[in-house]
Amino acid sequence: MDAAITQMAEEDNFILLDVRTPEEFADGHIPGALNIPNESIGENDIAELPDKEQRIYVYCRSGNRSKKASEALVALEYTNVYEFGGINDWPGELRTGADS
C-alpha cells in the first residue's frame, strides 16, 4: 500500500479503480476513484478503461476482490495493473456518494 500511495503522489496519469459494489463505493471511496465492480470484469474489454497500457491501481475492501480483479484485467491484456489491497488500510481521506 505504501508504495502505491507514493507512486500516486508522484504521477497523474493513472486510474484508481474501486472494484467493490456500487453501494460500498457510495458509503466511502478514495477521491478520484472509478467504480467498476469485480463481478462485472469478465472476458470483454471495459469501455471505461480504453488504454490497456495506462497504470491502473486496483483496490477493494480488504484485498480479496482487488486481487481477483487485477488478475482478470491482466487476462484482458492490461499491462500496467497494480493491486494495492483494501480501503480498510487507506490512510487518507474518503469521499461518500456515488460520484468520485
Side-chain angles (χ1 to χ4, degrees), residues 11-15 51 53-57 80:
E11 60 185 86
D12 57 6
N13 187 26
F14 64 87
I15 292 176
D51 183 354
E53 294 179 7
Q54 186 173 21
R55 188 179 303 253
I56 303 171
Y57 294 99
N80 215 351

Side-chain angles (χ1 to χ4, degrees), residues 29-44:
H29 57 273
I30 300 171
L34 171 66
N35 181 224
I36 301 175
N38 176 50
E39 298 76 20
S40 68
I41 300 173
E43 298 178 3
N44 299 318

